[in-house]
Amino acid sequence: MMKESGRGFSFNWSGFFFSYCFLFYRKLYRPAIVVMSIMAMLFVPRMIYASETMKYILNVYMDVAVSYDMALITNLEGIISITNILQLALMFLLAAFSDKVYYNHVIGEIKKLRQAAPATIDQEQFLSMLAVNGRTNGRLGYGMALLTAAVIFGVSYLITYNILAGVVL
């Protein structure tokens, strides 16, 4: 349909919600690494904000003497608004063009297989080669989703632990 219509735009909900995990799943490794790196950079201000906000809450609402930087909290609120917009824009770009990128990737992989296949191979054998080489990488796609959740949880835990350990000790 994409070739017939000539349009490279379609909306892929999996690409929107799962971003780089979807790209890893579809074996689009380079774009996945780029998107994952951008998403990680956009996440850093949120983690710093969470840390400073936790210190603020401990200090103001729980009467625990912890130093915090209110100017940093205020500045990060504006930065986080911008990173949210950038992340949403990236998600829309992925949703809009991931099918086209995947289509081009598949066509390229089929051409590589055709060139690598022996001249004596028949159509059925070539289709078997395509079936074996054309599968998705579910382990990596789902694995990256689990790894992302583990990293976010782990970093959040470490931030919380470090703040609370400083208060208790």
Side-chain angles (χ1 to χ4, degrees), residues 73-114:
I73 293 172
T74 305
N75 290 336
L76 284 173
E77 288 172 350
I79 292 170
I80 289 171
S81 296
I82 294 167
T83 61
N84 287 340
I85 292 167
L86 292 174
Q87 184 174 356
L88 192 60
L90 181 59
M91 291 167 67
F92 272 108
L93 283 172
L94 278 169
F97 296 105
S98 60
D99 287 338
K100 180 66 174 175
V101 171
Y102 182 60
Y103 173 79
N104 291 337
H105 171 74
V106 168
I107 296 300
E109 291 298 311
I110 291 171
K111 287 179 182 178
K112 286 180 193 175
L113 279 175
R114 178 66 75 190

Side-chain angles (χ1 to χ4, degrees), residues 33-138:
I33 291 170
V34 169
V35 171
M36 184 176 65
S37 300
I38 293 169
M39 292 284 204
M41 287 186 292
L42 293 174
F43 193 68
V44 169
R46 290 186 193 122
M47 296 307 287
I48 298 168
Y49 179 80
S51 173
E52 288 300 310
T53 302
M54 183 180 296
K55 292 175 190 175
Y56 171 79
I57 290 170
L58 284 170
N59 198 337
V60 173
Y61 296 108
M62 303 182 95
D63 293 326
V64 177
V66 180
S67 64
Y68 64 93
D69 187 349
M70 193 62 192
L72 180 61
I73 293 172
T74 305
N75 290 336
L76 284 173
E77 288 172 350
I79 292 170
I80 289 171
S81 296
I82 294 167
T83 61
N84 287 340
I85 292 167
L86 292 174
Q87 184 174 356
L88 192 60
L90 181 59
M91 291 167 67
F92 272 108
L93 283 172
L94 278 169
F97 296 105
S98 60
D99 287 338
K100 180 66 174 175
V101 171
Y102 182 60
Y103 173 79
N104 291 337
H105 171 74
V106 168
I107 296 300
E109 291 298 311
I110 291 171
K111 287 179 182 178
K112 286 180 193 175
L113 279 175
R114 178 66 75 190
Q115 291 173 350
T120 59
I121 194 170
D122 66 5
Q123 185 68 14
E124 189 174 311
Q125 291 171 323
F126 182 69
L127 290 176
S128 294
M129 279 179 57
L130 282 177
V132 169
N133 291 302
R135 293 189 176 126
T136 56
N137 193 341

